[in-house]
Amino acid sequence: MLDFKIDIDKTELKLAGIFSGILLFLFLFVFLMIFLSRNSWNKGLQNAVNQCLAVHFQDEYEIVSDFKINSGFSTSAKAFLVNSKIQKENKVALLINVTTLYGQYPALFLAALDGDTDFVTFLNMPDNFIDTVSSISMKSTIYYWQKRIPFILGFKDFSNDE
């Protein structure tokens, strides 16, 4: 039978405890800051989407509530249920990071509950740059996301993928 003896000094044990305590404190501090800032982050996204919809659709849409995304994209996308004041129908405004030739930018899509999806615009980008990036990305990236968004939002089933 092998007999192992571990010789630990009390100072090493104290240093390990202090180091573990500092790490635990830092993790708890970061978690607390994320938890406390979550509501203000969501409000900021909601205001950005609201402003964008107001500019592009002359105040036709208003955000009713958050829309829960039940897929893996919930970490990189945010959806809001919006109501059309003119057409009296609900749609979903989806803000998702889209990779373009110039890097990743948040793109706003508007999806009807039947799955029909339209691209609205890119956020946080100068207007003349939006036109350039949109025209370059329309046939590839934007088209891809327009076809995928109904599946991401749960309007269509992945088993019926075209």
Side-chain angles (χ1 to χ4, degrees), residues 85-147:
K85 297 175 187 174
I86 297 171
Q87 299 172 351
K88 303 294 184 205
E89 68 175 343
N90 288 335
K91 291 188 176 186
V92 176
L94 179 73
L95 188 62
I96 190 165
N97 283 330
V98 172
T99 303
T100 67
L101 290 175
Y102 301 101
Q104 262 195 340
Y105 287 101
L108 182 62
F109 291 90
L110 200 58
L113 299 180
D114 64 358
D116 186 30
T117 305
D118 296 315
F119 171 72
V120 179
T121 188
F122 289 103
L123 272 65
N124 300 331
M125 197 184 284
D127 290 335
N128 57 346
F129 197 55
I130 289 175
D131 296 336
T132 304
V133 173
S134 296
S135 64
I136 292 171
S137 302
M138 190 59 74
K139 296 284 186 206
S140 57
T141 308
I142 293 173
Y143 179 77
Y144 170 81
W145 284 109
Q146 281 179 316
K147 295 298 178 195

